Amino acid sequence: MKYENQSLCKACGGYCCINCPCFFMPEDFPDLTLEGLLKEFREKDYLCIIANDVPYISMRATNWKRIVQLFEKRITNPCMLLTSTGCTFSYDERPTGGKLLIPSSHGCYSKLDAISIFQAWAPYTEVLLQVMTHL
C-alpha cells in the first residue's frame, strides 16, 4: 500500500520532514557489508548514522554531520532533501521511513515504532560501528 497524500503534505509544509528526516531499514541497501555500506556513504551525501545503543542509518538533516548522537537528533533540523516543493525523491525513491509515514491532518506518524527499527538494525551493529570509524 502506498502511503502518500501530497495535498496534505503541501498544506502542512512537510512538518514531519522539518522535524525528523526519514530512517532507512536494512532492506533499503543491496549490500550490508562494510565495503557495501562505505560505497553507499561515499555516493550519497544525505546518509548519516544515528549513534544510538543500536545504531541505524537515516537521512541527514541540513546541519547534521555523518555521525549524529541521539541527543543531537532531538534538535529540530529539516531533512537536507526537503525543498519548498517537497521531497526531492519520488515516493518510490524514498527510504522505508519515508514510505511508511502515514499522513494525517492531526500529525503524521510512522507505521513502524522505534523498537521495530532497532530490532531490524541490531544484527548490523558491528558493521555500522566499523562504518563510523571510516567516516
Side-chain angles (χ1 to χ4, degrees), residues 24-91:
F24 287 82
M25 292 295 279
E27 57 267 20
D28 291 319
F29 299 95
D31 182 358
L32 288 161
T33 65
L34 176 61
E35 296 77 20
L37 288 173
L38 287 174
K39 181 178 186 283
E40 294 280 344
F41 272 83
R42 278 193 303 274
E43 295 174 356
K44 299 172 181 170
D45 69 337
Y46 54 81
L47 295 178
C48 73
I49 293 178
I50 306 296
N52 196 8
D53 290 340
V54 175
Y56 63 95
I57 299 176
S58 174
M59 290 282 203
R60 283 175 65 198
T62 52
N63 61 348
W64 285 357
K65 298 174 184 153
R66 297 306 289 267
I67 301 171
V68 180
Q69 301 301 320
L70 190 58
F71 70 88
E72 293 175 290
K73 183 180 180 295
R74 295 172 195 246
I75 301 167
T76 301
N77 295 300
C79 176
M80 66 188 295
L81 298 179
L82 179 65
T83 68
S84 60
T85 59
C87 183
T88 58
F89 280 178
S90 71
Y91 180 85

